[in-house]
Amino acid sequence: MQRKILLIKFLFGLGLFLLVAALPSWAQKTVINGRVTDATSGDPLPFVSVYFKGTTVGVNTDFEGYYSISTEKPLDSLHVSYIGYNPRAKKIQKGITQTINFQLMTAAISLQEVVVRPGENPAWPIMRQVIAHKDANDKRNLTAYEYESYNKTEVDIDNISEKFRKKRVMRKILTVLDSLEQIAGEDGKPVLPFFISESISNFYHRNNPSVNREEILKTKVTGVGLDDGSLVAQIVGSSFQEYNFYKNWLTILEKDFVSPIADGWKFYYEYDLKDSSFVGEDWCYRIEVTPKRPQDLAFNGTIWITAKDFALKQVNLAISKSANINYIERITIHQELGRTAAGPWLPIKNRVMIDIAEISDSWAGMLVKFYTSNKKIVVNNPKPPLFYEKPIEVAEDARITDNNYWETNRHDTLTQQEKNVYKMIDTIRNIPVVKTYIEIANIAVNGYKRVGKVDIGPYLYTYAFNNVEGHRFRAGLKTNIDFSRKWILKGYLAYGTRDGRFKYNGSADYILSRKRWATTGIEHFYELEQLALIDNSLATNSLFFAFTRFGDLTRSRPFMQRQTSAYIQTEIRKGLSQKLTFRNRTFDPIDRLYKFAYYENPNDKDSPIHRSFTSSEITWETRYARDEIFLQNENERISLGADKWPIFTFRYTLGLKGVMNSDFEYHKFSATVIQYLKLGLLGRGRYAIDAGYIPSTVPYPFLRAHLGNQTPFFNASSFNLMNYFEFASDKYVTLNYQHTFEGLFLNSIPLIRKLKWRFVGHASVLYGGVSKRNQNIIPDSANGEAIQSFRALSPHKPYAEFGYGVENIFKLLRVDFIHRIAYLNNPDVRKFGVKVSLQFKL
């Protein structure tokens, strides 16, 4: 018996020994760290599900794409999945600590099938609470907020096809670079970087009124063909990275996308409650959102809603190429928000990636990536209103390339891939053939070739041919910022082989103040002009003006003009500017093509008749644009337009008889109102109201000649079925409205919606008239020759036309069908017309 007990003890001890000895083999922990990135762009992917299949063990990547996961179970693979991407799995080594990185390829996004079940969608009660708490959580509920912002922008060439590789410039680049693959990473596609920037700024916002100010403190810009200039520094800051999903509509690339938490959320989206878990310190609901109609400008992806106050905690959204937007393969937006001390939430980090498609197989695509990090947040401490007068200001010592500064002050360290980007860009931009292509591209875009301190051009006006001048040749130049930061000198010389006349222009402008943008200048020119085309609304359309120099100019009433002018202008306060201009000009018609004359005294038919005149005038202009944003580009200022408020302009002109041989004294009043309308689901509109009154007696070149259009091309600034000089007025009011419906109607037609056509509409109405005195000043004939005159509108009968059409045909063509509905009995009237235009729109 004793021997049995000893045997049992021995066997029990042996078993216990073997059990303890075996513990490390089956209970040893497997720890895996790594990062998940986009295989196309190399960008980190936040909020990706990383898990062991068949278990409840799983984590999500953080905002930088990193994860850490562990298990004690004897598993052999790790899986990752992410909406919009193909899932992946990799083998793991059991029982050790290891690093495994994943690169995910994008998948075609298909909308989920909607299954109707009894009862209410469990996501809907949560969404109703989100809407109910929007005001409390929206940052617009703060009286003010400010923070330090770090911004990083990178632009790469991707989808590098074999045809593109064989292009001459690419062959030169690829022979120099032997590190192309390293930018893509382990499993990704190769990309070719050509721009990267970093900036640190202080951003300030105040409500009531809603105004922003950004002080860009430091910038570092490295790019192929781009200098570290002030213009680039202004556009890489936080001001242009505004993504507030509490708004019903978000503007991205000039398109309005509906937010997943818009007031009409149920009309635009399907919602699927997937999970609930801690995100940081907040317990959150994870809800997947998909648009009800794939062509709508809406988002696919996931939103995380806090259970405590129903606020957005994280956003992972994408716009696929099925949306009605051109040239874009994909847009992704990742956002992480944090609660402020006052309650509303502010974005802490943003990451945006725009994948631009290649135009053809022989070209490549493009990736544009933005990253923003905000720290040192202060809320409800508004600055005085005058503090916000200049929306964007770049510090004089902002340019800094010292790596030590950026290593210390950037919010996040650069990855090895981003460090490689800097090295590759420096290499690429020093390749001779690249420098040549950059120079050609700059000439094509800007119209000028820089040669030291002057720019030669614009080349668009170099040559023309018409029935007045014959072959017309022109050469011009202007000084740039290397010549002076104060003076801008411009000039050109032109010559016509048929008329044998030299035409010329010379001007000098001086910048009095960049802070208020106060300038003054003088100009003198002698040039062939066309009376039918003198219209301020076309002043920025260089391509249109260039082509008006070609062909038969008879219908547009050509004349020679000699003009001397001087001006001074300044911004009185933000949005309010004043301009004072003096102008002296001579009007000399081309007699063989344009028969013009007027009575010296319109009340006396026996008074002398004149065929030309001289005028001197002073014009005072005041302009108010409440939320217009300007950027300074070297010695010029560029308007980015007004976001939501109308732009008002008022002008008064006084004719000075006797000054510099002026023949007339007169008064002219005019006012314009222009506003762009963002109408959400209904698309976008633009209206322009133009009114004027001339209470003086003057020949019709002083009146408002309403702009007609006898070309086959649609022009939004003209009356498209009105003939040249069909009407002129000394009192008038015009209303022009243009509307783009985006995909509102055509997206609902099954076959048409695949074409991504967009419906457009427009209407123009003109009330006007001419006093008897201004009609009587023009004789019927002079020296036996009939004199060209004009028609006046009836005071009680407006001119009107309306049109409709389709744009985005082959992503380039627009066709308009236009109806004229007034003055149909006039000679050569076109009651209906079809006009085309080319446009590049996303």
Side-chain angles (χ1 to χ4, degrees):
M1 185 69 179
Q2 186 69 25
R3 294 172 64 182
K4 289 183 179 179
I5 294 174
L6 291 174
L7 179 61
I8 292 172
K9 287 183 177 180
F10 172 77
L11 292 174
F12 177 78
L14 178 62
L16 184 63
F17 171 78
L18 294 174
L19 180 65
V20 173
L23 276 175
S25 66
W26 62 264
Q28 192 171 0
K29 182 179 288 188
T30 300
V31 179
I32 308 171
N33 301 306
R35 197 182 200 197
V36 184
T37 57
D38 185 301
T40 301
S41 67
D43 271 8
L45 294 177
F47 325 137
V48 177
S49 296
V50 183
Y51 58 94
F52 295 108
K53 196 171 184 178
T55 74
T56 59
V57 180
V59 296
N60 289 329
T61 59
D62 64 15
F63 198 82
E64 305 305 324
Y66 291 105
Y67 73 91
S68 180
I69 191 171
S70 61
T71 182
E72 295 180 348
K73 296 183 178 180
L75 303 171
D76 59 2
S77 63
L78 182 66
H79 295 252
V80 296
S81 64
Y82 196 43
I83 186 170
Y85 288 81
N86 292 320
R88 288 198 66 182
K90 285 190 175 184
K91 291 183 177 181
I92 62 175
Q93 298 182 46
K94 304 171 188 176
I96 66 170
T97 298
Q98 58 207 280
T99 298
I100 299 179
N101 297 321
F102 289 88
Q103 289 187 301
L104 302 185
M105 294 294 297
T106 56
I109 298 176
S110 58
L111 298 188
Q112 298 175 349
E113 180 181 354
V114 180
V115 179
V116 180
R117 299 184 178 92
E120 186 178 46
N121 183 332
W124 287 5
I126 300 171
M127 289 303 303
R128 282 196 289 269
Q129 289 293 331
V130 172
I131 302 303
H133 290 78
K134 274 180 71 173
D135 288 341
N137 294 321
D138 188 352
K139 65 181 182 180
R140 290 177 294 177
N141 196 40
L142 297 166
T143 58
Y145 55 83
E146 60 189 78
Y147 47 75
E148 179 186 280
S149 182
Y150 167 77
N151 295 275
K152 180 169 55 186
T153 303
E154 182 181 337
V155 183
D156 306 317
I157 296 174
D158 75 333
N159 291 334
I160 303 173
S161 65
E162 287 302 317
K163 289 184 179 180
F164 189 66
R165 287 172 179 265
K166 294 177 182 178
K167 290 182 178 291
R168 180 169 176 260
V169 64
M170 282 302 298
R171 290 200 308 267
K172 294 289 186 180
I173 292 174
L174 295 176
T175 56
V176 174
L177 294 176
D178 57 2
S179 56
L180 182 60
E181 297 295 335
Q182 67 181 336
I183 297 298
E186 176 190 357
D187 301 314
K189 297 179 180 179
V191 296
L192 184 66
F194 68 89
F195 176 85
I196 187 169
S197 71
E198 298 178 85
S199 70
I200 293 179
S201 60
N202 289 331
F203 183 85
Y204 305 87
H205 174 83
R206 172 177 175 151
N207 279 328
N208 195 25
S210 179
V211 287
N212 295 330
R213 173 181 172 84
E214 183 173 16
E215 299 171 348
I216 299 177
L217 307 176
K218 301 296 178 185
T219 64
K220 181 182 181 182
V221 179
T222 303
V224 178
L226 293 170
D227 297 324
D228 191 358
S230 60
L231 178 64
V232 177
Q234 292 168 80
I235 63 176
V236 297
S238 184
S239 297
F240 296 93
Q241 305 303 322
E242 168 70 10
Y243 303 100
N244 184 2
F245 287 92
Y246 285 96
K247 294 181 178 180
N248 290 331
W249 297 87
L250 285 81
T251 301
I252 305 172
L253 299 177
E254 294 301 311
K255 297 286 184 179
D256 297 321
F257 292 84
V258 62
S259 170
I261 61 170
D263 293 337
W265 54 278
K266 197 183 294 186
F267 179 77
Y268 301 102
Y269 288 98
E270 300 289 352
Y271 298 83
D272 188 7
L273 177 61
K274 286 292 188 182
D275 196 7
S276 58
S277 60
F278 275 104
V279 179
E281 298 178 354
D282 296 284
W283 185 260
C284 296
Y285 303 107
R286 180 167 70 91
I287 300 176
E288 288 189 3
V289 297
T290 52
K292 288 191 171 182
R293 293 163 295 277
Q295 281 76 25
D296 283 357
L297 298 182
F299 299 95
N300 288 282
T302 307
I303 56 177
W304 282 261
I305 306 296
T306 61
K308 180 181 179 181
D309 42 16
F310 297 95
L312 281 177
K313 173 68 175 181
Q314 290 179 341
V315 168
N316 165 34
L317 297 172
I319 303 163
S320 70
K321 63 180 180 181
S322 60
N324 196 333
I325 184 170
N326 293 329
Y327 310 109
I328 302 298
E329 287 284 341
R330 185 168 52 109
I331 301 174
T332 59
I333 300 177
H334 307 302
Q335 188 176 86
E336 179 182 337
L337 298 96
R339 185 189 294 107
T340 64
W345 293 61
L346 280 173
I348 303 301
K349 293 182 178 181
N350 290 296
R351 181 175 282 107
V352 180
M353 191 274 289
I354 302 171
D355 188 354
I356 303 173
E358 58 272 25
I359 298 175
S360 68
D361 293 340
S362 60
W363 290 90
M366 185 179 296
L367 291 174
V368 184
K369 300 181 284 186
F370 306 95
Y371 171 76
T372 302
S373 171
N374 303 322
K375 292 183 177 181
K376 303 177 182 177
I377 296 172
V378 178
V379 299
N380 294 339
N381 184 27
K383 301 289 190 294
L386 289 177
F387 175 80
Y388 303 90
E389 281 220 327
K390 193 168 184 180
I392 301 175
E393 187 166 16
V394 181
E396 291 187 3
D397 59 347
R399 304 181 193 182
I400 183 167
T401 58
D402 179 32
N403 288 331
N404 291 331
Y405 171 85
W406 292 103
E407 290 291 342
T408 304
N409 292 279
R410 64 168 61 100
H411 289 189
D412 302 281
T413 59
L414 291 182
T415 65
Q416 186 59 47
Q417 290 183 359
E418 289 166 335
K419 293 177 182 178
N420 291 337
V421 166
Y422 274 112
K423 295 177 183 178
M424 291 182 65
I425 290 175
D426 286 336
T427 302
I428 293 170
R429 63 183 180 180
N430 289 316
I431 300 173
V433 68
V434 173
K435 292 182 178 180
T436 302
Y437 273 80
I438 290 169
E439 188 172 289
I440 294 173
N442 284 333
I443 293 172
V445 172
N446 302 317
Y448 288 87
K449 173 180 172 57
R450 176 161 293 193
V451 181
K453 298 181 180 181
V454 299
D455 298 341
I456 299 174
Y459 292 99
L460 195 61
Y461 294 91
T462 301
Y463 173 77
F465 179 82
N466 57 69
N467 63 326
V468 178
E469 299 172 289
H471 297 279
R472 173 188 168 98
F473 301 93
R474 172 175 149 170
L477 57 81
K478 66 177 181 178
T479 60
N480 55 50
I481 199 169
D482 294 332
F483 174 82
S484 172
R485 291 183 58 84
K486 291 287 188 179
W487 287 99
I488 307 105
L489 307 179
K490 299 179 184 178
Y492 70 79
L493 182 66
Y495 179 76
T497 58
R498 183 172 184 180
D499 64 357
R501 291 178 174 175
F502 282 98
K503 296 90 178 176
Y504 54 85
N505 176 292
S507 66
D509 297 274
Y510 183 76
I511 301 174
L512 299 167
S513 170
R514 289 180 178 268
K515 185 175 182 180
R516 289 288 182 185
W517 199 257
T519 61
T520 185
I522 57 173
E523 180 184 30
H524 178 76
F525 70 81
Y526 178 65
E527 184 58 277
L528 171 69
E529 300 287 2
Q530 302 171 70
L531 191 59
L533 300 173
I534 295 180
D535 191 291
N536 289 333
S537 64
L538 298 175
T540 59
N541 195 331
S542 300
L543 185 62
F544 178 86
F545 274 121
F547 278 96
T548 61
R549 293 286 179 184
F550 287 84
D552 187 350
L553 308 186
T554 305
R555 290 180 301 179
S556 58
R557 306 194 182 189
F559 67 96
M560 298 303 301
Q561 178 168 273
R562 191 183 305 275
Q563 176 174 303
T564 302
S565 62
Y567 78 93
I568 184 170
Q569 69 175 12
T570 187
E571 198 172 44
I572 304 298
R573 50 166 294 183
K574 183 181 183 296
L576 179 62
S577 62
Q578 303 285 317
K579 184 177 182 180
L580 188 66
T581 304
F582 170 80
R583 182 174 70 160
N584 173 267
R585 64 168 178 156
T586 60
F587 180 89
D588 185 14
I590 307 296
D591 191 58
R592 62 185 174 85
L593 300 176
Y594 176 19
K595 303 300 180 182
F596 169 79
Y598 66 94
Y599 288 114
E600 184 177 297
N601 182 357
N603 298 318
D604 182 5
K605 299 301 182 181
D606 295 324
S607 71
I609 293 177
H610 301 284
R611 294 184 178 272
S612 62
F613 60 79
T614 299
S615 67
S616 294
E617 62 186 26
I618 292 178
T619 300
W620 170 64
E621 175 183 296
T622 184
R623 184 176 185 274
Y624 181 63
R626 175 173 173 177
D627 60 348
E628 187 175 24
I629 295 177
F630 288 94
L631 300 179
Q632 292 184 18
N633 181 25
E634 295 192 345
N635 290 333
E636 299 176 338
R637 197 162 75 144
I638 301 171
S639 172
L640 298 182
D643 184 43
K644 59 182 179 179
W645 294 96
I647 299 175
F648 300 91
T649 304
F650 174 79
R651 294 185 185 91
Y652 166 67
T653 300
L654 171 64
L656 305 171
K657 186 174 182 178
V659 176
M660 298 178 66
N661 300 316
S662 176
D663 296 311
F664 302 98
E665 178 181 342
Y666 52 87
H667 304 272
K668 298 172 68 173
F669 303 88
S670 68
T672 60
V673 182
I674 299 174
Q675 186 176 14
Y676 293 87
L677 306 173
K678 299 178 181 180
L679 302 175
L681 177 66
L682 298 177
R684 288 195 173 197
R686 174 193 179 274
Y687 73 82
I689 300 173
D690 184 14
Y693 177 55
I694 303 172
S696 307
T697 304
V698 288
Y700 67 77
F702 288 94
L703 306 185
R704 179 60 180 266
H706 304 293
L707 186 63
N709 182 2
Q710 293 183 238
T711 75
F713 303 106
F714 177 78
N715 185 347
S717 301
S718 70
F719 295 94
N720 284 279
L721 292 182
M722 184 185 290
N723 294 325
Y724 288 143
F725 258 93
E726 185 173 350
F727 297 106
S729 303
D730 58 19
K731 48 185 176 294
Y732 61 90
V733 177
T734 69
L735 171 62
N736 176 275
Y737 184 77
Q738 307 282 329
H739 196 96
T740 299
F741 290 93
E742 296 293 344
L744 177 62
F745 300 122
L746 302 184
N747 276 357
S748 302
I749 304 174
L751 296 178
I752 297 296
R753 66 187 178 196
K754 292 183 178 180
L755 301 174
K756 297 187 177 181
W757 289 359
R758 303 163 189 163
F759 189 69
V760 295
H762 50 88
S764 298
V765 180
L766 164 63
Y767 285 88
V770 180
S771 62
K772 287 293 184 181
R773 63 181 182 275
N774 281 328
Q775 294 183 40
N776 294 337
I777 198 173
I778 305 299
D780 296 328
S781 63
N783 298 328
E785 295 180 322
I787 298 302
Q788 291 175 269
S789 186
F790 61 94
R791 289 186 176 85
L793 290 154
S794 169
H796 306 293
K797 182 181 179 181
Y799 174 90
E801 61 183 42
F802 73 93
Y804 47 86
V806 175
E807 67 176 6
N808 208 41
I809 302 172
F810 305 118
K811 299 182 180 179
L812 192 65
L813 183 66
R814 169 171 168 166
V815 179
D816 284 88
F817 305 91
I818 308 165
H819 299 265
R820 174 169 169 161
I821 57 176
Y823 297 93
L824 302 181
N825 295 323
N826 284 3
D828 302 321
V829 161
R830 296 161 294 160
K831 299 179 182 179
F832 174 76
V834 179
K835 293 184 179 286
V836 299
S837 56
L838 299 177
Q839 55 186 14
F840 180 83
K841 294 180 68 175
L842 294 178

